[in-house]
Amino acid sequence: KFVLRMNPPRVVIDNEVCENTTLVKVDSSNRHGILLEVIQILTDLDLIICKAYISSDCGWSMDVFHVTDLNGNKLTDERIIDFIQQSVLSHQYPRTVGVQSAVEHTAIELTGADRPGLLSEIFALLSDLGC
């Protein structure tokens, strides 16, 4: 908790970097559940995650999401942009960590030590299971 007080999450929402999507970048100490929390916030707002880059190193994570609204447009509503920023920064958003089925998708969060090839093995296993 001390690390979170000293290094609160930083949320940057940028409409200039990409031509067709809004960039949502979250830098934070790697607290349990932060990735799923951010994804939950974005999907609860009915945003489409077109592309995501997820990275973590030791106690720090940087997640970058390319998002659009349901019509394929960049985010322009300041209320939505402010809501995303405040929800991540406040830690008050309802947290759902684990597996949760959404309309067409399932979000899975894994916690543990990383190693080279782990994500590829997980995707191979999910593919073998027909997921």
Side-chain angles (χ1 to χ4, degrees):
K1 293 185 179 187
F2 177 71
V3 172
L4 286 175
R5 286 196 316 262
M6 294 302 295
N7 300 299
R10 185 171 65 107
V11 180
V12 176
I13 299 178
D14 188 340
N15 272 321
E16 302 300 319
V17 174
C18 299
E19 184 177 338
N20 299 317
T21 60
T22 297
L23 191 82
V24 178
K25 179 179 166 187
V26 180
D27 292 311
S28 72
S29 62
N30 200 3
R31 85 175 151 83
H32 183 72
I34 184 75
L35 174 60
L36 188 57
E37 186 175 322
V38 173
I39 292 171
Q40 192 73 53
I41 291 166
L42 298 175
T43 57
D44 283 354
L45 290 169
D46 291 327
L47 300 178
I48 306 299
I49 301 172
C50 302
K51 188 187 312 183
Y53 298 98
I54 311 302
S55 62
S56 73
D57 184 24
C58 298
W60 198 256
S61 68
M62 182 178 74
D63 305 321
V64 180
F65 302 92
H66 294 256
V67 300
T68 64
D69 64 17
L70 287 175
N71 297 317
N73 300 314
K74 291 182 176 189
L75 306 183
T76 55
D77 187 335
E78 286 298 322
R79 294 171 299 172
I80 291 176
I81 292 170
D82 289 342
F83 181 82
I84 294 168
Q85 291 173 322
Q86 294 307 312
S87 296
V88 174
L89 296 175
S90 71
H91 307 293
Q92 300 300 314
Y93 196 78
R95 295 180 60 174
T96 54
V97 178
V99 177
Q100 179 170 352
S101 180
V103 176
E104 299 174 17
H105 308 284
T106 300
I108 302 173
E109 180 180 70
L110 304 171
T111 303
D114 194 12
R115 62 178 168 74
L118 178 62
L119 193 56
S120 295
E121 291 176 21
I122 292 168
F123 284 136
L125 176 64
L126 291 173
S127 178
D128 288 346
L129 294 172
C131 298

